[in-house]
Amino acid sequence: MPAATAVATLSQECPLEFYLAANESARCCYPSTTPWPLPVNQKHFNSEDIKNARMSGAIMNELDSGIPKILRERVLSSTAYLVHNWQWTFDDKPKRKVLTVHTSADWDSAAWLRAAEEIHNLLLSNGVLETTVELINKTRISHKKIIPECVPEADRKYYGEIQGSIFKIVMHELKTALVYIGLHMYSEASLVSKTPCLFIFFKPGSVYDWVRLSTHLSQVIGDRFKLQFRPGRYVPLAGEYGLPAQGEFDPSLPTGASISRVDDPHCGGTSGVFLDLEVNQTSPRTPFNLAAGVHKTLVTCHHIIAPPRDTADYQEALEYGYPLPSKPDANPLIVCPSQRKLQESINALEADIAADNAELGEMGSSSDQTEIATLKSGIKTLQKELQSRRQLQSRTPIGKVLFSTMQVMNPTHCPNINPADCALHDHFLLDMALIRLSARDAHGNKAPWHRESSPTGLSNVKGLAEPVYGMRVFKCGSQSQITSGMLSGQSFFADHTGLGWFQSWTIVGDGDRRFSEGGDSASAVTTKSRELVGQLHGAVVDPAEEPISCMTPMEPLVDYIKARVPNSDLTLSTEIPSLVDSPLGKIQNLVASIGSKLF
């Protein structure tokens, strides 16, 4: 059956992944009439059952000579190579055996289908049964890649005018399946030009009549934007990460350090924004047993310190969001860095030292003395690092959680109101926890190094900045370290944990590098001029694993803290060595506090 007929077959209700696969004009399958969805994750190709599912050498030799001949005769292409693998289904059915043939030929549905059929017959003649043949030209697949560039202002204005209508249509049709709606610049391999594209993410496996929905939306957006559906999910960026592979640990609590709960090693993230919380003496009573005075605090994410109900479902919690506990956590203790990852690193170091000592013991007197000296020096370095990590393992907690929350400001129910009223306005996600730090922990807000400044490492944050569309931003996280990107606008998200819809600033990483990874939750986002913009809390990830990072600006976070702690002032914590009780230090302290005062 020609691929065009297959697309018509899928014009009725079907899983989104199958609809997208059938509409790719550079793929063809036989005897199955539609292409199978591309694997969600490349790691599937590396599992043991795939490695053991290889064809014999004799059969491969037969295919190596037979398939190029078929391609030359049917699709006029002599460029092809073979990959024998398993592709996975999305509905828990048994795996399907696929022979993928990559070709550089131009698309011709009839010719490609005949070639696939002949290759299938070639497999049968060699005793290879129950195998689907797929022809694919990956350079022609129209996978739209989000790029860190600004959508023209006229297009953004128009998108703002029709956004309510788009949201209402999608929510009416697929309320529980919708994950994200946003406008971005995109590029694809088959196009040189860059075009604004409306990206709409749905939960993987969502079933619907996608042709009908596409037609309905196209009547609203017209020819102004491209339209792209994608399977995806909102992912909180917690994780068991954040430990340097080598190098001595910083005994202080630096920006971007890994933190975790003492009683639950599954909880982990990044040390976020440091604040000096000043409780005024005139306060009628001090909440959370806070005495009058200045308290050193750390703002992190709620999902970092709130574990899933069942730790066995940890991976599922990362993918689909944490279930919210019925009651706030009772002042859990927080440590730095993640204790689970720390123990793994200690075990790895011990194994490396044992292996190096064994190698040293096997060296005789005739061995190269320089090589022996180098090996001994390496062992001493590893032993020093091991001692440092063991000391850190017994470290007392950095502080206690004062309060923690995960809620949406001014929750709204857009499907029940007029489209014109469904504009984005103050519906940010408050995924935050406030930790009171112990007095001994050195800390301060630092801006990451970036190419536009001198490469001197992290430096003090100088103040606050309002997020602006197109702003260049930077972050230092415990997992992906220092990254850069661009604020690509504000969009609606849903994490399907009972919170409903929330608003977030989106960030797209530069080049092919992601702006954030699992373990970067709570990282501070700063500008080129070292001003604090907001705090990371999650990302939307599609099957190509191209994430859109999510950030809450500082203002709603600060407003919430001040509401929970009345009669208090908040100041950005900074590290200035000369801030001592000398006359000069007092002057510097005054200047610094004026520059870092939040409200």
Side-chain angles (χ1 to χ4, degrees):
M1 182 192 305
T5 306
V7 173
T9 303
L10 288 182
S11 64
Q12 302 301 315
E13 291 194 359
C14 67
L16 176 60
E17 293 86 349
F18 286 82
Y19 167 77
L20 295 175
N23 279 275
E24 289 171 354
S25 61
R27 297 178 66 195
C28 174
C29 287
Y30 187 88
S32 299
T33 56
T34 58
W36 206 250
L38 292 174
V40 173
N41 196 316
Q42 194 66 24
K43 69 182 181 183
H44 290 162
F45 288 110
N46 299 323
S47 59
E48 288 301 319
D49 57 340
I50 295 170
K51 292 179 181 178
N52 297 331
R54 302 296 182 183
M55 296 182 186
S56 67
I59 295 177
M60 289 301 297
N61 291 335
E62 182 70 20
L63 298 179
D64 285 342
S65 60
I67 291 179
K69 180 180 178 182
I70 294 173
L71 293 177
R72 284 194 298 270
E73 293 175 352
R74 293 299 184 188
V75 297
L76 302 178
S77 172
S78 59
T79 304
Y81 62 96
L82 309 179
V83 178
H84 179 243
N85 55 45
W86 296 92
Q87 291 201 11
W88 290 35
T89 68
F90 293 83
D91 51 6
D92 298 325
K93 293 180 180 178
K95 299 170 220 175
R96 192 179 67 146
K97 197 173 179 182
V98 178
L99 175 66
T100 304
V101 179
H102 297 262
T103 175
S104 60
D106 291 331
W107 171 253
D108 182 326
S109 59
W112 278 46
L113 193 65
R114 287 196 299 269
E117 183 177 4
E118 291 191 19
I119 294 173
H120 184 260
N121 292 334
L122 180 63
L123 292 177
L124 293 178
S125 65
N126 282 275
V128 181
L129 308 177
E130 299 178 354
T131 299
T132 296
V133 174
E134 177 185 80
L135 266 65
I136 182 171
N137 185 341
K138 281 196 171 182
T139 63
R140 298 301 181 93
I141 291 180
S142 59
H143 179 76
K144 296 175 174 59
K145 177 178 176 58
I146 297 174
I147 55 177
E149 292 192 13
C150 292
V151 174
E153 184 176 356
D155 289 327
R156 279 187 285 128
K157 182 179 179 181
Y158 180 69
Y159 171 63
E161 294 173 354
I162 65 174
Q163 184 181 60
S165 298
I166 295 171
F167 190 75
K168 189 172 184 179
I169 291 171
V170 178
M171 286 294 287
H172 176 73
E173 303 288 348
L174 278 158
K175 179 178 179 180
T176 60
L178 185 58
V179 174
Y180 167 82
I181 299 178
L183 184 68
H184 298 273
M185 289 295 289
Y186 84 96
S187 65
E188 54 187 358
S190 59
L191 294 177
V192 178
S193 61
K194 299 167 184 175
T195 310
C197 183
L198 179 63
F199 287 90
I200 305 180
F201 288 78
F202 295 93
K203 292 170 64 176
S206 299
V207 176
Y208 194 70
D209 185 341
W210 303 102
V211 173
R212 176 175 173 271
L213 181 60
S214 178
T215 302
H216 198 176
L217 289 171
S218 297
Q219 293 173 352
V220 177
I221 67 176
D223 297 329
R224 197 74 177 248
F225 315 124
K226 298 291 185 181
L227 180 63
Q228 176 75 13
F229 298 145
R230 285 192 182 179
R233 55 174 62 97
Y234 170 77
V235 181
L237 294 174
E240 308 162 41
Y241 307 104
L243 208 59
Q246 55 187 349
E248 291 188 29
F249 284 108
D250 191 331
S252 66
L253 178 60
T255 295
S258 169
I259 61 174
S260 65
R261 276 184 59 160
V262 170
D263 58 344
D264 196 316
H266 290 88
C267 295
T270 296
S271 60
V273 178
F274 296 98
L275 298 177
D276 290 343
L277 176 65
E278 182 176 1
V279 178
N280 300 323
Q281 294 181 353
T282 56
S283 176
R285 63 177 183 175
T286 55
F288 310 109
N289 297 319
L290 293 175
V294 177
H295 301 269
K296 299 292 185 180
T297 63
L298 169 66
V299 182
T300 187
C301 286
H302 166 84
H303 71 262
I304 290 177
I305 60 95
R309 292 191 181 98
D310 184 358
T311 54
D313 296 331
Y314 174 70
Q315 195 62 38
E316 182 179 354
L318 283 183
E319 293 179 351
Y320 295 101
Y322 286 102
L324 297 180
S326 57
K327 295 181 180 180
D329 294 310
N331 292 37
L333 297 173
I334 307 299
V335 292
C336 170
S338 169
Q339 295 298 295
R340 182 169 186 169
K341 207 65 177 177
L342 181 58
Q343 182 59 56
E344 293 176 1
S345 72
I346 289 175
N347 296 341
L349 278 174
E350 290 175 340
D352 290 342
I353 293 173
D356 288 349
N357 279 322
E359 182 180 352
L360 185 64
E362 294 174 356
M363 290 183 173
S365 57
S366 60
S367 301
D368 187 344
Q369 295 302 309
T370 302
E371 184 178 352
I372 293 177
T374 301
L375 186 58
K376 287 183 177 180
S377 176
I379 292 174
K380 288 183 179 179
T381 301
L382 291 177
Q383 289 173 336
K384 183 178 180 181
E385 177 65 13
L386 179 61
Q387 182 180 7
S388 172
R389 299 196 180 196
R390 282 175 173 166
Q391 291 174 349
L392 195 61
Q393 191 177 35
S394 60
R395 178 178 177 176
T396 56
I398 63 173
K400 284 188 176 183
V401 176
L402 293 179
F403 58 83
S404 178
T405 185
M406 185 178 246
Q407 60 179 283
V408 179
M409 296 175 57
N410 308 315
T412 184
H413 302 284
C414 282
N416 301 324
I417 62 177
N418 295 325
D421 298 329
C422 193
L424 294 171
H425 180 69
D426 293 337
H427 306 300
F428 289 107
L429 177 67
L430 294 175
D431 180 357
M432 62 86 63
L434 188 68
I435 301 170
R436 180 170 59 175
L437 299 172
S438 58
R440 61 177 173 74
D441 281 300
H443 61 278
N445 295 292
K446 294 293 190 72
W449 169 87
H450 44 83
R451 294 181 180 180
E452 291 85 347
S453 66
S454 58
T456 56
L458 302 177
S459 54
N460 281 322
V461 168
K462 298 196 299 185
L464 291 178
E466 291 289 333
V468 178
Y469 179 79
M471 177 184 282
R472 303 291 307 158
V473 291
F474 306 83
K475 80 101 183 61
C476 179
S478 64
Q479 171 62 11
S480 59
Q481 305 300 313
I482 295 173
T483 57
S484 60
M486 185 195 80
L487 291 184
S488 56
Q490 299 184 56
S491 298
F492 266 123
F493 296 79
D495 65 356
H496 302 288
T497 59
L499 292 177
W501 287 92
F502 62 86
Q503 176 187 2
S504 179
W505 277 92
T506 56
I507 307 175
V508 178
D510 289 334
D512 293 329
R513 188 175 183 188
R514 306 176 187 179
F515 188 77
S516 60
E517 303 269 3
D520 288 334
S521 272
S523 297
V525 179
T526 62
T527 66
K528 173 183 176 182
S529 55
R530 305 199 305 278
E531 295 169 309
L532 183 62
V533 179
Q535 190 169 44
L536 287 178
H537 58 78
V540 169
V541 184
D542 69 358
E545 298 189 352
E546 179 184 330
I548 303 170
S549 299
C550 312
M551 179 197 81
T552 296
M554 286 305 302
E555 183 175 354
L557 296 174
V558 170
D559 288 345
Y560 182 79
I561 295 174
K562 290 177 68 66
R564 292 291 302 267
V565 189
N567 300 307
S568 63
D569 294 316
L570 292 171
T571 305
L572 288 175
S573 299
T574 57
E575 286 182 338
I576 303 178
S578 58
L579 293 185
V580 294
D581 291 331
S582 65
L584 178 59
K586 290 180 179 179
I587 294 174
Q588 291 177 322
N589 193 7
L590 176 63
V591 173
S593 65
I594 293 174
S596 60
K597 205 71 154 183
L598 297 180
F599 291 96

